[in-house]
Amino acid sequence: MNKLRNRREFSSLWRNSDGVSMVEFAIVAPAFFLLLLGFFEVGYAAYRHSTVSHAVAEAARYGAVRGAASNSPIGANNLEVWALNNALLTGTGATATASFSPDNLPGSTVQVSVTYAHTPMIGTLFGVLNVNMTAASEMTITR
């Protein structure tokens, strides 16, 4: 009689579905949140790369219209600072290089490049995990 009672209790526990959704959530939630964090990481990295690329292109354009023949010529050092300010990368360890080939007279070229070490949010959890982003642009000086 006692064995029969234990079997009935066990079979009623087996059919009981209380708390199943909580267990399913505990299994699925870590994978879901990791995937969601991954989407944010990729989106933010794409945004930062787009910002750096746009700043480099604008810096090259700025240097191309401010050559030696313009009213207010710009030097390579000022162009580097302008590129970092335009990309909102001052104080982040980003480096910019600008050069004129052969000089800053009309017909010459201006080259600007920026290198930025992007640290993803997940990189702070697992130690330093930098992704180097580099963008470069070259234009012909018009003035």
Side-chain angles (χ1 to χ4, degrees):
M1 179 87 171
N2 199 9
K3 283 185 178 184
L4 185 61
R5 183 172 162 232
N6 286 342
R7 282 186 187 168
R8 274 190 245 151
E9 286 177 7
F10 181 71
S11 83
S12 69
L13 283 176
W14 185 257
R15 287 187 298 260
N16 189 355
S17 61
D18 292 343
V20 170
S21 59
M22 190 177 351
V23 171
E24 290 172 351
F25 179 77
I27 292 170
V28 173
F32 173 74
F33 288 121
L34 188 62
L35 187 66
L36 189 64
L37 179 64
F39 284 140
F40 284 124
E41 284 290 345
V42 169
Y44 185 66
Y47 164 74
R48 291 306 288 169
H49 188 268
S50 174
T51 302
V52 170
S53 297
H54 179 72
V56 166
E58 286 297 311
R61 187 201 61 78
Y62 189 71
V65 298
R66 295 197 182 262
S70 72
N71 293 339
S72 56
I74 191 168
N77 291 338
N78 292 339
L79 196 56
E80 292 169 0
V81 171
W82 193 89
L84 292 177
N85 286 337
N86 197 24
L88 303 175
L89 292 175
T90 53
T92 61
T95 58
T97 58
S99 62
F100 298 100
S101 177
D103 51 23
N104 63 346
L105 293 172
S108 299
T109 59
V110 58
Q111 298 92 17
V112 180
S113 67
V114 171
T115 302
Y116 167 65
H118 173 72
T119 304
M121 291 179 282
I122 202 162
T124 57
L125 297 175
F126 298 113
V128 177
L129 177 71
N130 287 338
V131 177
N132 288 329
M133 295 183 183
T134 302
S137 184
E138 180 177 334
M139 287 190 149
T140 303
I141 298 173
T142 56
R143 299 191 235 179

